[in-house]
């Protein structure tokens, strides 16, 4: 059974969307152009396909093609397509902002950080305490942390009781 023309158009349209979403912009342009040629350009589906084609053109570096198609879509019979085309055209024709290179923050290269950390740890572990001493100090640390948590919990209970007493007293005095 042969596929219907609408099924072919839909499959090309979906393949174009999928390729775009996966960053394969040139492939997306090819699928969307095929779908555009097979569909009535003034239909709602034709407008959707062309809007996607505008974004695919821009993503693949074909800005002039994107602007030209957007200018055509501003006169599209479907209101939603016209509105999207106007918004896209404003973005595409907006002047590029100049960013002073001195304003950039330099991000350090952390690729070799793991290797440096391993070297530092291996150097440290040679001169460190025996494993039994380390595990006992870890246990002591965990006990201290648990003790701090217990003290925090006692503080919270005391604070809660004080708040209840104060609010109860205020309620009792306000009833007179």
């Amino acid at each position: 059974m042969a596929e219907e023309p609408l099924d072919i158009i839909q499959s090309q349209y979906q393949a174009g969307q999928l390729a775009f979403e996966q960053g394969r912009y040139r492939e997306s342009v090819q699928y969307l152009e095929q779908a555009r040629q097979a569909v009535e350009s003034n239909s709602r589906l034709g407008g959707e396909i062309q809007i996607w084609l505008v974004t695919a053109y821009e993503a693949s570096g074909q800005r002039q093609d994107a602007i030209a198609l957007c200018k055509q879509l501003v006169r599209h019979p479907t209101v939603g397509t016209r509105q999207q085309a106007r918004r896209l055209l404003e973005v595409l024709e907006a002047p590029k902002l100049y960013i002073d290179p001195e304003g950039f923050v330099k991000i350090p290269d952390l690729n070799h950080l793991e290797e440096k950390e391993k070297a530092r740890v291996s150097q440290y572990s040679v001169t460190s305490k025996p494993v039994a001493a380390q595990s006992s100090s870890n246990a002591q640390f965990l006990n201290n942390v648990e003790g701090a948590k217990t003290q925090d919990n006692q503080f919270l209970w005391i604070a809660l009781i004080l708040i209840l007493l104060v609010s109860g007293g205020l309620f009792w005095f306000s009833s007179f």
Side-chain angles (χ1 to χ4, degrees):
M1 180 174 150
E3 281 190 76
E4 294 289 323
L6 185 59
D7 292 338
I8 294 170
I9 293 168
Q10 285 286 352
S11 66
Q12 290 172 334
Y13 177 38
Q14 290 171 351
Q17 288 175 316
L18 182 64
F20 183 87
E21 291 169 351
Q22 292 177 347
R24 300 183 331 249
Y25 304 122
R26 295 199 191 285
E27 191 176 321
S28 174
V29 167
Q30 291 172 349
Y31 284 122
L32 292 170
E33 282 179 341
Q34 290 172 1
R36 176 184 175 200
Q37 291 171 357
V39 73
E40 170 60 40
S41 62
N42 287 334
S43 68
R44 183 189 58 75
L45 179 60
E48 289 177 18
I49 291 170
Q50 291 176 85
I51 289 292
W52 272 89
L53 185 56
V54 167
T55 57
Y57 277 152
E58 172 62 18
S60 66
Q62 301 174 28
R63 178 168 280 217
Q64 293 307 316
D65 293 335
I67 291 173
L69 181 55
C70 228
K71 285 182 179 180
Q72 290 175 5
L73 290 174
V74 169
R75 296 181 300 277
H76 195 274
T78 306
V79 175
T81 302
R82 281 196 308 263
Q83 289 174 342
Q84 283 184 314
R86 279 190 208 106
R87 290 182 194 127
L88 283 171
L89 191 59
E90 287 175 7
V91 171
L92 292 172
E93 291 183 331
K96 294 220 180 222
L97 297 176
Y98 171 75
I99 300 175
D100 186 17
E102 292 180 13
F104 287 118
V105 175
K106 302 240 187 281
I107 299 174
D109 182 16
L110 302 176
N111 290 333
H112 304 290
L113 185 62
E114 188 175 312
E115 295 169 6
K116 290 178 183 177
E117 183 66 20
K118 285 180 183 176
R120 187 183 68 79
V121 168
S122 66
Q123 178 185 11
Y124 177 72
S125 64
V126 170
T127 61
S128 68
K129 302 182 233 174
V131 175
Q134 284 182 350
S135 63
S136 67
S137 66
N138 287 342
Q140 183 181 6
F141 173 75
L142 290 175
N143 288 336
N144 289 342
V145 169
E146 289 175 6
K149 285 182 183 178
T150 305
Q151 289 174 350
D152 288 345
N153 288 341
Q154 290 172 351
F155 173 76
L156 289 175
W157 281 111
I158 292 170
L160 183 60
I161 291 170
L162 284 174
I163 290 171
L164 290 174
L165 288 174
V166 169
S167 61
L170 290 175
F171 178 73
W172 186 71
F173 280 117
S174 66
S175 62
F176 285 112

